[in-house]
Amino acid sequence: MLAMDQGVVEEWLSEFKTLPDSAVSSYAASLKEKGSLVPALYKVIRENYSDLLEPVCHQLFEFYRSGEQRLQRFVLQFLPELLWSLLLAPSAARDPHTSGCVEALLLGIYNLEIVDKDGQSKVLSFTVPSLSKPSVYHEPSTIGSLALTEGALANHGLSRVVYSGPHLQRETFTAQNRFEVLTFLLLSYNAALSYMASSSLQSLCQLSSRVCICGFPRQQLRRYKGISSRLTVTSEFLVQLVTGIHYALCNGEMDLGSKALDDVLYRAQLELFPEALLVGNAIKSSQQCAALKSGGGKEGACIIQVEVTPTSSRISRNAVTSLSIRGHRWKRHESQEVSVDSDPAAPGGQGSSIPEISVTMPNGDSLRPRDPRPLTQPEPEPLGSASEVSPTHDLSLRGQEVRRQKSVRRLVDEGSGPASAGRAQY
């Protein structure tokens, strides 16, 4: 460790001890301006033998115990490196005293996270989303027709809630509770992923790859020359790793994230962990849009395609309802009436009606053409009788009427006498 980095860490250790409680909030905001502090602390944690590791772990625990959220997030960014230091301790030649500092820090963070401000055990809850309701990731209409069975209708609108806790206090790490504590710490880390720096995300991806490939043939492929012994993992621990890797993939760490995801799936296949395989393969399938990233490497951020619920009505304009059926019936009747009025061949049609001609004779008599339609409607025929109307008969009647009116018009033009008019009336 360089003397400059050691000086930065020692200055950081001394300034917080003399800090009054009223200035904690402003001090937490000023930590972002110290760009050389975070890399120096990473070097302290990674060293096998460092005199500064114990005071650094104590300072980090004081930060977390203060309750200031920005100080807690500052501590959480080192969590992946602290987890690797803890898992590496049994296989590496590290001083048991220095590794004990890391264990105490992780157990202190765990015991603070499982209780609320009043010291009562927390019970975490998570609502499982329903596929029948839209979200930013899916639309029910795109999934296909959901079977409306009696059971599906009974469960529609009901939300399933999963509870976690209460968790027990832990005073030391054992082989039985080790990954239970580490999994819960990763859960707390994932809850603050949006506040983590790129260096923390890189450390998480490196932790995932190392844990999954150490002691397996893939270690030679990755050319990692660290420990060669296999590390025991659990399915729940890998699921939490995959959750953090997914965030890293979509926030500029495509290279490290893709390798870490492949390594986790490699280990999950060897261990036959169904939960880790399910989540990991789902994330890998969603990365088919990785070509949409802008730039390459760290600057590029993957784009997640989401579905936006439209604001317009989802009911189709052509949907069949009782109102649409009634309106369709009305339109059909109106169209039939219009066609009858405009059809010249239809009985009683008015499309090409023959104009009525009135002739006044010299003696004052008026000649009017007879109406071809009967004055009274024919009585309905009794049931069972068959009535047929010949279309040729109707056409002959209309032809006679046209000829009669033409003859009347010719008589008017020639000025013929009443006898001729009487013959024309016939």
Side-chain angles (χ1 to χ4, degrees), residues 108-227:
I109 296 175
Y110 167 79
N111 291 328
L112 289 174
E113 278 294 326
I114 63 175
V115 295
D116 54 14
K117 296 181 180 180
D118 300 330
Q120 302 295 328
S121 298
K122 288 182 182 178
V123 178
L124 304 179
S125 61
F126 175 76
T127 303
V128 179
S130 175
L131 293 179
S132 62
K133 297 181 179 180
S135 69
V136 295
Y137 294 105
H138 83 288
E139 284 291 339
S141 58
T142 60
I143 299 177
S145 59
L146 300 176
L148 296 179
T149 61
E150 183 178 356
L153 292 175
N155 296 327
H156 182 71
L158 300 179
S159 58
R160 179 185 175 189
V161 182
V162 179
Y163 297 97
S164 175
H167 298 273
L168 300 177
Q169 296 276 342
R170 302 297 181 183
E171 296 181 357
T172 183
F173 279 109
T174 63
Q176 184 177 2
N177 65 19
R178 180 184 303 274
F179 279 96
E180 178 187 348
V181 175
L182 298 184
T183 302
F184 188 85
L185 290 175
L186 276 180
L187 179 65
S188 302
Y189 175 83
N190 291 334
L193 271 175
S194 58
Y195 301 98
M196 297 296 107
S198 60
S199 58
S200 181
L201 298 179
Q202 295 171 11
S203 178
L204 176 67
C205 295
Q206 294 171 358
L207 166 70
S208 304
S209 294
R210 293 170 183 173
V211 167
C212 294
I213 67 174
C214 283
F216 291 92
R218 179 166 286 204
Q219 184 176 0
Q220 300 177 359
L221 180 63
R222 293 286 187 249
R223 297 180 181 180
Y224 176 67
K225 298 181 180 180
I227 62 174

Side-chain angles (χ1 to χ4, degrees), residues 205 208-209 218 222 245-246 248-250 252-266 280 283-284 287 290 293 297 302:
C205 295
S208 304
S209 294
R218 179 166 286 204
R222 293 286 187 249
I245 293 171
H246 188 201
L249 280 170
C250 300
E253 301 298 334
M254 284 296 300
D255 296 335
L256 285 176
S258 299
K259 292 180 181 179
L261 182 60
D262 291 339
D263 294 337
V264 172
L265 287 175
Y266 169 78
I283 294 175
K284 189 172 183 179
Q287 294 305 313
K293 64 177 181 177
C302 180

Side-chain angles (χ1 to χ4, degrees), residues 218-252:
R218 179 166 286 204
Q219 184 176 0
Q220 300 177 359
L221 180 63
R222 293 286 187 249
R223 297 180 181 180
Y224 176 67
K225 298 181 180 180
I227 62 174
S228 58
S229 59
R230 298 182 180 182
L231 300 176
T232 305
V233 293
T234 61
S235 180
E236 293 79 8
F237 183 77
L238 293 185
V239 169
Q240 295 301 325
L241 287 179
V242 170
T243 304
I245 293 171
H246 188 201
Y247 183 84
L249 280 170
C250 300
N251 288 273

